Amino acid sequence: TITQNIKAGASYTFRSTTLKLPVNAPVGLRYIRAFADSTKLVIESNENNNDTFHKINVKKVLDLKADSVVTPSVLVRGKTALITYRFSNLSQVEIKNIKVRLVYSIDSKLTSTDPLLRASTIVRVLGGKSFSGRASIKIPAGVPAGEGYVFLIVDPSNAIKESVENNNTAGRKLIIVKD
């Protein structure tokens, strides 16, 4: 809502380049409607010229977001632990065959040499919905004791072309102890 006083005979132009559509907005040709005096507070000689429509084309935009990894705060290397993870489909459409990896790192920076703990493929996640998973992981026996991280990586190879590619990772700091 914009409140703007306009003098008699004058006009006001409102320009916005950013509009956020609902995640479930249907794809295809749609219209945005703009109103002036939508509550009819101003008495006018012509009440039928206070709105206009603008065509927009809603496109299929994909975006997955890693939300969380939940682990015990202490893990024993070489032993199995149950963890949970969650990611969201921020798109308005279903996304299928989503690759997910759980990776261990000794620091907060992921590298290609960090050990893979678990990999899976999620069959589908509907638009605007989240997926919560559980996995048994085992911290490799050769990992040094001390602080470490378990990361969830959604779409690790960027096979799904997303509008935002830098939100596909979530991590959890934890302590690794010897058996």
Side-chain angles (χ1 to χ4, degrees):
T1 302
I2 297 171
T3 303
Q4 180 71 35
N5 293 326
I6 303 171
K7 294 181 181 180
S11 66
Y12 175 77
T13 301
F14 171 73
R15 298 196 190 280
S16 174
T17 57
T18 304
L19 294 173
K20 185 171 184 176
L21 298 176
V23 70
N24 60 351
V27 174
L29 182 62
R30 300 288 178 249
Y31 295 88
I32 292 179
R33 188 175 187 182
F35 294 92
D37 189 27
S38 63
T39 58
K40 301 197 185 293
L41 291 176
V42 177
I43 299 170
E44 301 175 69
S45 61
N46 182 356
E47 292 285 356
N48 297 319
N49 64 354
N50 289 340
D51 65 340
T52 186
F53 294 87
H54 180 74
K55 287 184 198 178
I56 62 168
N57 187 13
V58 179
K59 296 180 181 179
K60 178 174 133 178
V61 177
L62 305 179
D63 188 21
L64 296 168
K65 178 182 175 284
D67 296 319
S68 63
V69 179
V70 178
T71 69
S73 58
V74 176
L75 293 178
V76 179
R77 66 181 180 192
K79 300 288 184 183
T80 301
L82 182 65
I83 69 160
T84 59
Y85 61 91
R86 177 184 156 109
F87 69 90
S88 299
N89 177 356
L90 302 179
S91 311
Q92 71 269 30
V93 296
E94 173 183 88
I95 300 178
K96 296 181 180 180
N97 300 317
I98 304 165
K99 305 284 186 212
V100 173
R101 287 188 187 158
L102 295 166
V103 174
Y104 176 78
S105 180
I106 61 171
D107 55 32
S108 62
K109 296 181 178 92
L110 280 169
T111 68
S112 60
T113 59
D114 289 334
L116 177 66
L117 302 173
R118 174 81 58 191
S120 60
T121 300
I122 310 307
V123 175
R124 69 185 180 119
V125 179
L126 297 175
K129 301 295 181 182
S130 296
F131 177 85
S132 294
R134 295 165 47 126
S136 291
I137 62 166
K138 185 188 278 188
I139 301 296
V143 165
E147 290 183 351
Y149 293 80
V150 173
F151 286 99
L152 163 66
I153 309 169
V154 181
D155 187 30
S157 62
N158 293 327
I160 299 166
K161 301 304 175 211
E162 300 174 63
S163 59
V164 179
E165 292 285 3
N166 64 357
N167 62 352
N168 291 3
T169 304
R172 164 94 158 105
K173 188 176 184 178
L174 47 86
I175 302 294
I176 304 297
V177 295
K178 298 178 185 177
D179 184 10

